[in-house]
């Protein structure tokens, strides 16, 4: 019947769309960018030219955060507050952030304790940060900043189309300046997200 033939056609179409069969008998490629819960380090997606910090110490600039050596790190300059603006080369989804303590926690009073995150805000200054509602605020403990601590999950639904994030470090654990040893941003590019799988997970 026509109905049965249509069903069979649907089945063959489905088989071609999903792993296990591709048109022409080719094996299905590994779905690297499917929205299956796997996050990548977005370091390679950062636009270093458009990223900047405010109130950073000249000898401990923001770029040190991405080297992977917590002894270098980034420090604030005049006081404990610090703004880190990280721009991306393309729209990304940001899933979690990993903050690492400076110099293996040798100076715990320099640890940031309160961080506000702003999405797609350009040129925020310290006064702006006090007037603009953050996308999310984080309270960090010393345990959160340990090298082997888990990354901090963000409210993923609010970080679905991110071209830049601004981190306003408002306070620390009592030191005159703030220091951070490393920062990793986990997520994935928006362009490569498989919307069918995204909807399926719902």
């Amino acid at each position: 019947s026509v109905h049965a033939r249509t069903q069979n056609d649907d089945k063959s179409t489905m088989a071609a769309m999903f792993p296990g069969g591709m048109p022409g008998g080719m094996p299905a490629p590994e779905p690297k960018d499917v929205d299956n819960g796997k996050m990548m380090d977005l370091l390679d997606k950062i636009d270093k030219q458009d990223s900047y910090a405010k109130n950073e110490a000249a000898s401990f600039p923001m770029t040190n955060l991405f080297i992977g050596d917590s002894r270098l790190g980034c420090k604030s300059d005049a006081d404990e507050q610090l703004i880190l603006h990280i721009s991306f080369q393309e729209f990304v989804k940001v899933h979690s952030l990993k903050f690492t303590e400076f110099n293996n926690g040798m100076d715990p009073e320099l640890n940031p304790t309160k961080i506000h995150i702003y999405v797609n805000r350009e040129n925020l200054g310290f006064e702006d940060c006090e007037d603009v509602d953050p996308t999310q605020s984080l309270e960090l403990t010393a345990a959160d900043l340990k090298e082997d601590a888990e990354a901090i999950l963000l409210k993923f639904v609010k970080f679905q189309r991110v071209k830049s994030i601004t981190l306003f470090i408002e306070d620390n654990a009592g030191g005159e300046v703030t220091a951070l040893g490393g920062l990793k941003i986990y997520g994935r590019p928006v362009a490569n997200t498989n919307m069918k799988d995204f909807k399926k997970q719902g």
Side-chain angles (χ1 to χ4, degrees):
S1 72
V2 174
H3 181 65
R5 195 161 64 240
T6 306
Q7 275 194 328
N8 287 338
D9 287 348
D10 285 348
K11 281 180 188 167
S12 60
T13 306
M14 292 292 280
M17 282 168 61
F18 287 96
M22 289 284 283
M26 293 286 287
E30 188 65 31
K32 287 178 189 163
D33 296 308
V34 171
D35 207 328
N36 57 3
K38 288 183 183 172
M39 299 296 155
M40 59 185 275
D41 184 341
L42 292 172
L43 176 63
D44 292 341
K45 302 295 181 185
I46 293 174
D47 185 339
K48 295 189 173 70
Q49 298 295 319
D50 268 356
S51 300
Y52 60 82
K54 292 185 178 180
N55 194 37
E56 67 181 338
S59 52
F60 291 94
M62 179 175 82
T63 48
N64 283 358
L65 292 175
F66 306 109
I67 292 171
D69 185 340
S70 78
R71 293 169 300 176
L72 300 174
C74 177
K75 284 186 178 182
S76 61
D77 187 24
D79 58 23
E80 76 282 1
Q81 296 192 338
L82 182 64
I83 287 177
L84 306 173
H85 179 83
I86 297 133
S87 186
F88 298 99
Q89 297 160 9
E90 59 184 288
F91 283 105
V92 295
K93 294 167 178 274
V94 180
H95 172 264
S96 51
L97 299 174
K98 173 68 184 107
F99 300 97
T100 304
E101 62 191 353
F102 181 74
N103 197 16
N104 296 314
M106 296 292 281
D107 300 298
E109 72 278 4
L110 305 186
N111 284 345
T113 55
K114 187 179 286 188
I115 300 181
H116 303 292
I117 308 167
Y118 304 83
V119 168
N120 300 340
R121 293 275 188 172
E122 299 300 318
N123 301 312
L124 279 180
F126 290 98
E127 289 181 5
D128 301 317
C129 288
E130 292 172 11
D131 294 336
V132 177
D133 287 335
T135 308
Q136 186 171 349
S137 294
L138 305 175
E139 299 269 352
L140 300 181
T141 66
D144 292 329
L145 293 159
K146 293 295 178 194
E147 190 96 40
D148 57 358
E150 294 285 320
I152 294 169
L153 295 177
L154 300 178
K155 295 171 183 167
F156 197 33
V157 67
K158 295 187 174 184
F159 294 84
Q160 292 291 302
R161 192 170 174 79
V162 178
K163 195 66 169 61
S164 71
I165 58 172
T166 307
L167 305 175
F168 168 41
I169 299 175
E170 184 180 26
D171 206 357
N172 66 9
E176 289 187 12
V177 298
T178 294
L180 193 58
L183 172 62
K184 285 190 175 180
I185 303 167
Y186 294 103
R188 73 169 64 80
V190 167
N192 294 339
T193 301
N194 184 320
M195 288 312 292
K196 283 196 178 65
D197 278 26
F198 185 69
K199 285 175 186 161
K200 197 164 62 183
Q201 286 188 337

